């Protein structure tokens, strides 16, 4: 079986250009997760590399399928120069390792929480997983492997995360859109939720 990670990195480079930095994190009992940083004007993008090496499996399955199952990498985009966002590398790696560590399937509409600020002073401890296909196109793999989706992450304040649990991801995204929320602003405040 071909290693998917070189194909994933090639897709990221095609979509985002050459990374200007990369870091690797390994958690006990998991594969290595890298986080690549791409700078484009005043936007910095962080993309995981390693989450898609194994398919995500249903946590209730008795045996994990080594071939079939959804595959994904995570992409976070923020404005540079407003906060020390490079410290997001470890929290992103934690999120990318969650399918291996916790047996979860990361999919659009899900909330992922790291339990601490995403970077020093960040008003966000969690992210909303958005729909793939916009910034980085899905990577089709040879059958029977599922394609790799590149899932955008939208930082949420604790109030937004609580509101999303009650009203749903779509309602929160509509609230952001209605209020013209700049989701790339690393120091933004919570959207009005009344």
């Amino acid at each position: 079986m071909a290693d998917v990670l070189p194909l994933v990195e090639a897709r990221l480079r095609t979509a985002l250009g050459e990374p200007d930095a990369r870091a690797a994190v390994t958690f006990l009992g998991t594969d290595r997760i890298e986080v690549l940083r791409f700078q484009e004007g005043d936007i910095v993008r962080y993309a995981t590399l390693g989450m898609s090496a194994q398919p995500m499996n249903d946590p209730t399955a008795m045996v994990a399928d080594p071939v079939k199952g959804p595959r994904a990498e995570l992409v976070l985009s923020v404005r540079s120069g407003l906060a020390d966002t490079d410290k997001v590398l470890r929290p992103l790696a934690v999120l990318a390792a969650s399918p291996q560590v916790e047996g979860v399937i990361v999919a659009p509409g899900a909330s992922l929480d790291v339990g601490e600020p995403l970077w020093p002073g960040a008003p966000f401890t969690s992210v909303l997983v958005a729909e793939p296909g916009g910034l980085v196109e899905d990577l089709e793999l040879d059958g029977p492997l599922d394609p790799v989706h590149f899932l955008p992450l939208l930082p949420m304040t604790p109030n937004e995360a609580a509101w999303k649990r009650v009203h749903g991801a779509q309602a929160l995204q509509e609230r952001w859109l209605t209020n013209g929320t700049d989701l790339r602003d690393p120091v933004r405040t919570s959207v009005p939720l009344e």
Side-chain angles (χ1 to χ4, degrees), residues 160-179:
E160 290 170 339
W163 197 85
K164 181 251 173 199
R165 280 192 293 278
V166 173
H167 299 281
Q170 184 66 37
L172 179 59
Q173 289 177 303
E174 287 171 9
R175 182 65 56 123
W176 282 335
L177 192 60
T178 302
N179 286 276

Side-chain angles (χ1 to χ4, degrees), residues 35-126:
V35 179
L36 283 58
R37 184 181 71 190
F38 301 86
Q39 186 79 41
E40 182 185 328
D42 71 336
I43 302 294
V44 61
R45 301 185 200 287
Y46 302 94
T48 63
L49 179 63
M51 183 177 170
S52 62
Q54 304 294 325
M56 293 180 275
N57 284 283
D58 182 345
T60 62
M62 293 298 283
V63 178
D65 189 323
V67 177
K68 297 226 21 102
R71 294 175 187 260
E73 295 291 352
L74 308 175
V75 181
L76 174 70
S77 301
V78 291
R79 295 200 183 286
S80 60
L82 301 175
D84 187 9
T85 57
D86 280 352
K87 296 285 195 299
V88 77
L89 301 179
R90 185 166 177 75
L92 264 183
V94 167
L95 296 178
S98 63
Q100 286 182 55
V101 174
E102 299 171 24
V104 297
I105 294 179
V106 177
S111 299
L112 303 175
D113 196 317
V114 293
E116 61 185 32
L118 292 176
W119 50 82
F124 319 106
T125 60
S126 63

